[in-house]
Structure formats: C-alpha cells, structure tokens
C-alpha cells in the first residue's frame, strides 16, 4: 500500500498538521511502510466476529445526575496562551 | 551506596523513626544530582518541595499512612498540580496542570514524597525513549543503549537507584519493555484497575497506569496505593482491590507449587534471540523447580497483534490528540494569521515526528472509505487475540514468555526505521489488546544487558502475578543486581 504525497497532504489537513513539502515527502514513504505492515489484517478471517471496542466488554457506567463542585475558570485560564476578561483569545474568525 | 532496603523495610523504619523522611529524601536527591546528568531520567525536579514534604512527614503529617516518607517519581504523563506535566512533548513544555491525577493524589495520600517527573517518549509513543522532546534516556547498564520506552525514565531511574519506585503507563508494552531492558520489576495491571483520570490519554482503550520497583514485593506495596475504583474515570472498574502484600506473604515460597504455567509457542518461535531464549528457559526451569507444572499452549492470533495495535492505537491517538489546538493550554505558534493557521502551525511545530506519524496513520485509517477495512477490521482481530487468552486461561493459571525478542538496542539504531521499532513490540502488544495484567521480572543477562521474563495472568489476577514473581525472586537474585557505577 503506497500513499501518494497528495494523500498525505490530505491526511495532514484532516489532522490539522502544518507540514512543509520535505516533511510530506518523508511521511509519504514512512506511512506507506506502516500501512504495508498493517495490511496483514486483510488475511485474517473475521467472519461472525463482533468488533471489540473495549477490553473488558463492560457497559458504560452511569453516575448519579448530581451537581458537583468544579474548579474555577481562573485555574484553567491561568495556563491558556491568550485570555482576556474570562474568554480565550483566537485570531479573528468573522470579518 | 544506594539504599538497598525494600519499600516495606523503608516504610517500617520511617514509621519507627529509625530513619527520617528528610534523610531518605536527601539520600535519593543526592543520587539524582550525582547521576542524572548522564542518564537524563528526570524532566522536572522537585527538590525543594520534596524536602518540605519530607520535613512535614517527619513532623507527623502523614502518620499512619502505609508509605509515609517513601520517595517516588512520577512518569511525566501523570498530571501534577503545580509541577510541569510535559508528556515528553514540546506541545506541553509550558503546561502546569491545574489538578493532580488520581494516581498522584492516591500515592501522596499514602504518604509518598515525589522527587520529580520522569522522562518518556513523546505522548508515550515509542519503545526507546528517544522521541522525548527532552532528549533520550540512557540505560544505566550500558549508556550507549536505550532504556526502552515509553516509560524509560521511570525504569532507568529505579535501575540506577535514583528512586525506590516510579509510576509508569503501558499502552502496548510501555511498562514491561523498559522494565525488561533496565532489569527492574514492572507491573501493568488489568485495564480499569488503576484510574486513568489525569493520565494524559494516548489510546484510551489500552492505556493503563502501573509501576516500577526493584522487586515484586515493592511493586505490590506501590500498586496497593494506586489501584481501585475512581468515579472520575468512566472506564475504572468497581471491584474490590485485594491486599497484594498479604497475598504475597500468605503463600510465600510455595506460591508456585501446583501452578499451571503455559508457554505460548508463538512467543518462542523464530525471532527470539538465542541467548535471550536461554535466559528465559532457565527462569522457567526455576518455576518448575519450585513446583510449577509447565505446559505448552498456543495463542494462534499472535501474529495479528502488531497490525491490530498499529491501527487501533494511532486511531485513538489521532482523536485524543485533537485537543491540542493552541487555544486552551500548551504550545501556541507565534503570530497566527487565522484560526486554521493557529491550529496547523501549533500542531506542526508542537508535535514531534513520531507523534505526527501516528496522528496521520490514525486520521487515515479513520477517514471515509477506509474505516471498515482498517479500524473495524482491527477491532475484530482484537477480539480474536483476546479470545486466544481466554481460551488459554481455561487451561493454565499463568503465562510465561519473553518480554522482547532481544535485550536493549543501541541509541539511534532503530530511530529512523519506525516499522522495525514497531515490530519490536510483538510480545507485549497482545496482552495490552486483551486488557490483561502483565509483569516483567528480571531473569538474567545477555552481554551485560538485562533480560526480562514476562508473566501474564487472567483479568484482575494481579495478586497471582505478584505472588509468582515474588516466589521466583526468593530463590533468584537477578532483581538485586545493580549496574556498575550506580551501586
């Protein structure tokens, strides 16, 4: 399975990874090698096998619907790259 | 000289005031100062807070707790309030968590003193500790060799006697493999046994916290403090935690008598290095000498583990690591021109190569048109692998196998060849996919490098693992060997 640079560019876009052309070329080779290894899955007979999403096959546990104390917004915003007046700052989204 | 007392002895001597917590903390801080420049096991140091905490313990704050005054180090994947949690990444180089992980909280409540945060592969992705933003860790047995990964800093720190125990996390072998490479004892509990709250997520259906120490007895004491239900982790299992140390003591030397131990033939096939095979065979002979019944078993889908894992883990990683967006915390690129630029440059500059590779593999296998062929298929082969183990445990009580095909490799040797690095995980991935508890126990050496024996038990049978390892360590002394220069 070989991935073209165009495919890698598309995957990088999906994953929001900013990569330059040299990186795209390198990753195209490396990702193709990885997909070659993974291709052995095709050979496995999985007829009537249920997919396993969780190692213990447990149902998700529900908690009581009760309000609990949460940490302050100040704690979380203290570690943000850019905040002002309680909101996170990002570049302008709407012109 | 490194302090050779077991954790139980240390805790007993501390409680009896034969030893002060400050004295003990200083002993290990001095060893860190003397040796860590060479090994690079710690990313963040906590000397002053550790001394303050030790002094408070000496003044009586933690009296009655099981590990009052015992020093520990945490893998830098566990959030620590007030101390940077980098996860080995530039992305989190400036991240100071606003809360403690449950594991950190519980070990502090048990009286431990944290000396710092240990080095690791970036976001726990790697088997050599070379993908860390903070540089590679060196193996104390031979500093040209890798310590294994991803919890390489924790394993190497314990091996070099810089700390008596350290936490780790295992997604595909990240506790067992570095424990084997560094000649220490490591345990990865059953998935769900230890809370993942505050442990930075890599692959959520696989990640499990555990620990390293010099012996099974020490691991039992540390795991006791970590394990148990946590309502803040929805995958944490509501199930009583047995008294591990009591289980060790109860049967003691006779623990292995009559125990059926299975050797999966797929783990002894082609690929296993001959010298390592001899070490593992000698360990198994010791099990037999102690009364275990050895039988050959088969885990027929073992050869699917690498491909299954390298679909599922990157898929989960690509989803988990989507949270690093340069907006709320962590690395942000300079002068973003728009939101798209903010995301792509922050992630392009903040993540290292291995992390980017895995994010892209994950995004690819989850993308439209490929989901069924890769992701769904791998979830099915995962069940085949897990079934192999449930069938095997109908016949045997314990599985014994090598942890790796060969001892530690040289720094740089596999760094440019991700596929060869991945194939190296072939013996540890299956148990991770099945969610089983596993250990690595020091079993000997090849050319001066440690070899680990892997033990696997049925789900939630950590006591059986620890008991078997403890019985083995009663008549062997591999776990008490120390690397030259770090005695």
């Amino acid at each position: 399975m070989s991935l073209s640079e165009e495919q890698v560019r598309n995957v990088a876009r999906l994953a929001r990874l900013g990569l330059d052309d040299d990186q795209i070329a390198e990753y195209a080779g490396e990702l193709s090698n990885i997909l070659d290894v993974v291709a052995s899955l095709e050979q496995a007979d999985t007829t009537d096998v249920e997919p396993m999403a969780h190692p213990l096959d447990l149902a998700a546990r529900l908690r009581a619907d009760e309000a609990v104390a949460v940490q302050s917004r100040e704690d979380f915003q203290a570690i943000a790259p850019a905040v002002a007046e309680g909101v996170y700052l990002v570049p302008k989204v709407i012109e | 000289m490194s302090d050779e007392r077991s954790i139980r002895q240390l805790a007993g001597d501390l409680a009896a005031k034969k030893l002060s917590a400050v004295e003990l903390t200083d002993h290990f801080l001095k060893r860190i100062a003397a040796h860590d420049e060479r090994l690079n096991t710690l990313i963040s140091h906590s000397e002053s807070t550790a001394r303050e905490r030790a002094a408070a313990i000496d003044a009586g704050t933690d009296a009655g707790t099981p590990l009052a005054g015992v020093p520990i180090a945490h893998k830098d994947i566990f959030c620590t309030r007030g101390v940077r949690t980098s996860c080995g990444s530039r992305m989190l180089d400036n991240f100071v968590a606003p809360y403690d992980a449950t594991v950190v909280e519980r070990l502090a409540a048990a009286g431990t003193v944290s000396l710092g945060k240990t080095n690791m592969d970036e976001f726990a992705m790697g088997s050599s500790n070379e993908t860390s933003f903070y540089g590679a860790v060196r193996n104390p047995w031979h500093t040209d060799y890798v310590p294994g990964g991803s919890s390489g800093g924790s394993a190497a720190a314990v091996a070099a006697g810089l700390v008596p125990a350290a936490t780790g996390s295992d997604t595909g072998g990240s506790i067992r493999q570095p424990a084997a490479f560094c000649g220490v004892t490591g345990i990865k509990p059953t998935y769900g046994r230890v809370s993942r709250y505050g442990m930075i997520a890599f692959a959520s259906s696989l990640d499990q916290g555990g620990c390293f120490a010099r012996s099974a007895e020490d691991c039992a004491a540390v795991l006791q403090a970590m394990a148990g239900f946590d309502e803040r982790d929805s995958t944490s299992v509501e199930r009583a935690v047995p008294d591990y140390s009591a289980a060790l003591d109860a049967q003691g030397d006779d623990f292995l008598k009559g125990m059926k131990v299975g050797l999966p033939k797929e783990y002894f096939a082609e690929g296993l290095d001959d010298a390592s095979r001899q070490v593992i065979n000698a360990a198994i002979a010791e099990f037999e000498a102690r009364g275990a019944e050895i039988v050959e078993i088969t885990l027929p889908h073992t050869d699917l583990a690498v491909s299954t894992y390298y679909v599922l883990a990157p898929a989960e990683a690509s989803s988990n690591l989507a949270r690093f967006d340069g907006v709320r915390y962590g690395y942000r690129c300079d002068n973003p021109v728009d939101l798209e630029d903010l995301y792509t440059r922050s992630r392009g500059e903040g993540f290292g190569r291995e992390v980017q590779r895995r994010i892209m593999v994950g995004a690819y296998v989850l993308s439209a048109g490929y989901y069924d062929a890769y992701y769904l298929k791998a979830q099915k082969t995962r069940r085949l692998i897990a079934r192999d183990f449930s069938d095997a445990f109908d016949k045997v009580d314990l599985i014994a196998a090598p942890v790796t095909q060969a001892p530690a490799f040289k720094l740089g040797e596999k760094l440019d060849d991700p596929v060869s690095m991945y194939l190296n995980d072939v013996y540890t991935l299956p148990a991770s996919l099945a969610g089983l508890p596993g250990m690595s126990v020091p079993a000997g050496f090849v050319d001066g490098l440690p070899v680990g024996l892997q033990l696997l038990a049925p789900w939630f049978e950590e006591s059986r693992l620890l008991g078997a390892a403890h019985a083995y360590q009663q008549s062997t002394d591999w776990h008490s060997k120390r690397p030259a220069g770090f005695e």
Side-chain angles (χ1 to χ4, degrees):
Chain A
M1 176 88 203
S2 157
L3 278 191
S4 68
E5 291 187 18
E6 198 42 48
Q7 282 173 301
V8 174
R9 216 168 259 122
N10 184 43
V11 172
R13 192 188 57 78
L14 288 173
R16 299 294 185 273
L17 291 173
L19 304 176
D20 60 34
D21 289 345
D22 288 348
Q23 290 174 307
I24 294 280
E26 279 180 46
Y27 282 132
E30 290 168 0
L31 298 188
S32 299
N33 291 340
I34 294 167
L35 291 174
D36 281 342
V37 171
V38 161
S40 69
L41 285 180
E42 281 169 36
Q43 313 303 321
D45 180 1
T46 52
T47 321
D48 300 328
V49 178
E50 276 288 301
M52 184 173 175
H54 187 284
L56 300 175
D57 279 335
L58 292 178
R61 190 174 45 79
L62 300 176
R63 63 167 173 78
D65 187 18
E66 287 162 3
V68 292
V70 290
Q71 290 186 68
S72 70
R73 180 161 68 180
E74 286 72 29
D75 272 357
F76 290 105
Q77 295 205 330
I79 52 171
V83 287
E85 295 169 23
V87 298
Y88 293 92
L89 298 184
V90 295
K92 205 171 188 179
V93 178
I94 302 165
E95 287 302 324
Chain B
M1 262 294 279
S2 168
D3 199 308
E4 291 293 311
R5 279 172 285 193
S6 74
I7 287 179
R8 243 198 296 195
Q9 285 168 334
L10 288 175
D13 289 353
L14 285 158
K17 301 275 178 198
K18 283 189 212 159
L19 172 70
S20 80
V22 169
E23 241 176 293
L24 188 63
T25 297
D26 275 337
H27 166 79
F28 286 105
L29 290 175
K30 272 185 203 141
R31 289 188 60 82
I32 291 169
H35 298 293
D36 205 43
E37 208 168 319
R38 190 143 64 105
L39 298 176
N40 197 27
T41 67
L42 289 176
I43 292 174
S44 298
H45 297 254
S46 311
E47 293 101 347
S48 53
T49 49
R51 285 206 180 91
E52 282 167 29
R53 167 118 175 88
I57 289 168
D58 285 335
T61 51
D62 293 57
T65 59
L67 302 173
V70 174
I72 198 162
H74 290 295
K75 184 177 182 181
D76 211 16
I77 199 167
F78 290 103
C79 287
T80 43
R81 189 179 176 102
V83 179
R84 173 178 60 181
T85 300
S86 74
C87 221
S89 182
R90 181 184 192 190
M91 184 59 88
L92 292 176
D93 184 46
N94 61 4
F95 177 66
V96 179
Y99 60 91
D100 278 331
T102 297
V103 160
V104 170
E105 198 177 88
R106 287 192 178 172
L107 280 165
T112 64
V113 176
S114 174
L115 304 186
K117 306 290 293 288
T118 63
N119 205 341
M120 55 181 285
D121 279 301
E122 185 179 6
F123 284 102
M125 298 178 192
S127 314
S128 68
N129 220 120
E130 293 167 286
T131 73
S132 169
F133 177 61
Y134 303 91
V137 173
R138 290 173 181 273
N139 190 320
W141 290 94
H142 194 315
T143 51
D144 291 341
Y145 286 76
V146 304
S150 67
S151 315
S154 290
V158 172
L162 308 187
V163 68
T167 55
S169 67
D170 192 313
T171 302
S174 286
I175 289 175
R176 288 160 288 158
Q177 187 252 23
F181 281 7
C182 290
V184 298
T185 307
I187 182 162
K188 167 224 175 300
T190 311
Y191 181 86
R193 181 50 104 186
V194 167
S195 170
R196 296 188 299 110
Y197 179 79
M199 186 173 95
I200 295 172
F202 159 15
S204 305
S205 80
L206 296 154
D207 297 342
Q208 180 60 205
C211 60
F212 298 87
R214 286 175 160 178
S215 65
E217 185 195 336
D218 284 1
C219 281
V222 176
L223 183 61
Q224 195 76 53
M226 297 169 72
F229 174 66
D230 177 10
E231 63 178 11
R232 294 178 297 185
D233 170 6
S234 64
T235 58
S236 159
V237 174
E238 264 180 295
R239 196 171 163 132
V241 179
D243 185 333
Y244 297 128
S245 299
L248 249 65
D249 294 339
Q251 283 166 286
D253 288 6
D254 283 340
F255 199 91
L256 292 167
K257 198 166 273 174
M259 192 168 277
K260 245 183 174 175
V261 179
L263 309 183
K265 64 177 189 195
E266 293 79 7
Y267 289 57
F268 292 86
E270 204 185 333
L272 176 60
D273 150 66
D274 278 337
S276 299
R277 183 191 302 272
Q278 285 174 25
V279 168
I280 299 300
N281 285 343
I284 289 160
E286 183 60 32
F287 271 59
E288 204 166 9
R290 302 193 72 91
E293 184 193 341
I294 309 294
V295 292
E296 188 185 271
I297 57 166
T298 176
L299 298 167
H301 296 97
T302 299
D303 61 348
L304 291 172
V306 171
S307 30
T308 303
Y309 180 87
Y310 281 99
V311 169
L312 296 179
E316 294 186 24
S318 76
S319 167
N320 273 325
L321 272 60
R323 73 190 59 173
F324 300 102
D325 57 4
V327 174
R328 292 157 301 155
Y329 48 81
Y331 179 79
R332 171 180 235 171
C333 65
D334 286 334
N335 308 314
V337 296
D338 56 24
L339 197 56
E340 190 71 14
D341 185 45
L342 167 63
Y343 293 151
T344 55
R345 272 203 296 130
S346 297
R347 293 165 62 80
E349 295 165 12
F351 290 133
R353 286 182 62 95
E354 180 60 22
V355 172
Q356 293 188 344
R357 259 196 297 265
R358 296 207 197 185
I359 287 174
M360 285 194 285
V361 169
Y364 179 77
V365 300
L366 291 174
S367 61
Y370 298 102
Y371 180 89
D372 284 4
Y374 290 108
Y375 188 68
L376 198 65
K377 183 78 180 182
Q379 284 193 315
K380 291 178 180 176
T381 51
R382 180 179 191 176
R383 184 173 301 280
L384 294 175
I385 291 162
R387 263 189 211 158
D388 282 356
F389 283 107
S390 38
D391 291 347
F393 284 124
D394 284 342
K395 301 181 196 86
V396 298
D397 304 308
L398 201 66
I399 291 175
V403 178
T404 56
Q405 294 187 318
F409 44 89
K410 277 198 164 148
L411 285 153
E413 192 181 313
K414 295 182 198 259
L415 196 54
D416 295 325
D417 184 1
V419 165
S420 114
M421 191 80 91
Y422 295 175
L423 294 172
N424 193 57
D425 302 335
V426 59
Y427 300 151
T428 51
L429 297 176
S432 292
L433 289 162
L436 288 168
M439 278 185 86
S440 176
V441 183
F445 294 85
V446 170
D447 298 333
L449 292 167
V451 174
L453 171 73
Q454 182 170 214
L455 297 175
L456 303 173
W459 293 268
F460 298 103
E461 294 293 345
E462 286 81 10
S463 294
R464 196 181 298 172
L465 282 181
L466 291 162
H470 180 63
Y472 173 72
Q473 291 180 339
Q474 296 313 294
S475 57
T476 56
D477 63 354
W478 303 114
H479 64 291
S480 38
K481 304 277 187 209
R482 302 289 170 254
F486 300 96
E487 293 92 344

